[in-house]
């Protein structure tokens, strides 16, 4: 997703023309832009804000688009894409803090540690809850993580550091000289 946002921003800068999008997408981009620029939002509040907007967008376009279109100027659209790419890169860097700092993990589990009841029940009478806190756990390393990570790194020294970290990890079986799929 980061590479797509980066590529789109680069392409829109290069062609320097407005982009026509469905009106529903324009509303979603506006909410996302606002959330990306709101430094008062912690990760949970950012998630809540953007997920609500995404779900609203999905419900609006579930069957069809309204047919209304909006022309987005290139400069604000590039600013949005750059902010989104920066947010994604920050997430990538944050993910590396769960390992020794070089290898990007592949999978996480977010265990709900606190919640509040919503007042709604499902079809068998069980209550719905809204998670208010999570504990993040990292699954054992999978080779897929650093392999995909290498695709996003252009610096040869950083690539070598990732390679060396994989060789020093449990992803490499030194006695037989082969990589393992997972730890």
């Amino acid at each position: 997703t980061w590479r797509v946002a980066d590529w789109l921003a680069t392409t829109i800068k290069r062609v320097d023309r407005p982009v026509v999008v469905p009106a529903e997408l324009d509303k979603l981009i506006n909410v996302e832009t606002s959330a990306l620029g709101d430094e008062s939002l912690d990760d949970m509040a950012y998630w809540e804000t953007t997920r609500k907007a995404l779900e609203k967008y999905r419900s609006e376009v579930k069957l069809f688009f309204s047919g209304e279109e909006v022309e987005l100027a290139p400069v604000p659209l590039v600013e949005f894409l750059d902010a989104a790419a920066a947010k994604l890169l920050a997430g990538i860097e944050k993910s590396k803090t769960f390992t020794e700092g070089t290898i990007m993990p592949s999978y996480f589990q977010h265990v709900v540690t606190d919640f509040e009841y919503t007042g709604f029940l499902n079809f068998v009478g069980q209550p719905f809850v809204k998670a208010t806190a999570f504990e993040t756990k990292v699954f054992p390393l999978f080779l897929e993580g650093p392999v995909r990570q290498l695709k996003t790194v252009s610096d040869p020294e950083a690539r070598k550091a990732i390679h060396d970290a994989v060789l020093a990890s449990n992803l490499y079986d030194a006695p037989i000289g082969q990589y393992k799929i997972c730890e």
Side-chain angles (χ1 to χ4, degrees):
T1 308
W2 162 75
R3 293 189 319 160
V4 172
D6 187 54
W7 175 82
L8 277 172
T10 302
T11 302
I12 292 168
K13 281 181 205 170
R14 185 172 40 83
V15 297
D16 194 30
R17 289 194 311 241
V19 176
V20 177
V21 299
E24 296 86 354
L25 181 58
D26 177 54
K27 287 191 270 183
L28 177 62
I29 290 172
N30 288 333
V31 173
E32 293 276 349
T33 301
S34 175
L36 285 166
D38 188 348
E39 293 180 10
S40 70
L41 295 178
D42 62 7
D43 287 342
M44 185 67 119
Y46 174 81
W47 176 262
E48 285 288 326
T49 301
T50 57
R51 291 317 89 188
K52 283 180 185 174
L54 182 59
E55 290 306 316
K56 182 176 182 198
Y57 169 78
R58 287 178 175 160
S59 70
E60 288 176 352
V61 300
K62 184 176 183 177
L63 299 176
F64 51 84
F65 287 93
S66 67
E68 295 177 42
E69 294 180 329
V70 175
E71 191 174 89
L72 301 177
V75 172
L77 185 54
V78 166
E79 289 171 355
F80 160 70
L81 291 166
D82 285 343
K87 180 77 170 174
L88 291 165
L89 280 175
I92 290 170
E93 291 305 313
K94 184 177 179 181
S95 76
K96 290 191 275 184
T97 64
F98 291 94
T99 60
E100 85 297 338
T102 305
I103 299 176
M104 186 169 62
S106 300
Y107 302 105
F108 295 90
Q109 177 184 18
H110 302 284
V111 179
V112 176
T113 58
D114 197 16
F115 60 89
E116 56 190 39
Y117 291 100
T118 63
F120 297 103
L121 302 174
N122 69 7
F123 68 97
V124 292
Q126 297 168 322
F128 283 109
V129 298
K130 176 184 173 187
T132 57
F134 293 93
E135 177 188 350
T136 302
K137 295 182 179 183
V138 179
F139 284 102
L141 289 176
F142 281 74
L143 191 57
E144 172 187 9
V147 168
R148 291 181 181 270
Q149 181 183 8
L150 285 169
K151 291 169 51 175
T152 67
V153 176
S154 57
D155 177 33
E157 289 179 23
R159 285 183 176 198
K160 173 105 171 77
I162 294 166
H163 176 262
D164 292 345
V166 170
L167 282 177
S169 75
N170 289 333
L171 289 172
Y172 185 71
D173 192 341
I176 62 172
Q178 293 186 354
Y179 295 95
K180 299 187 289 185
I181 293 175
C182 64
E183 287 185 305

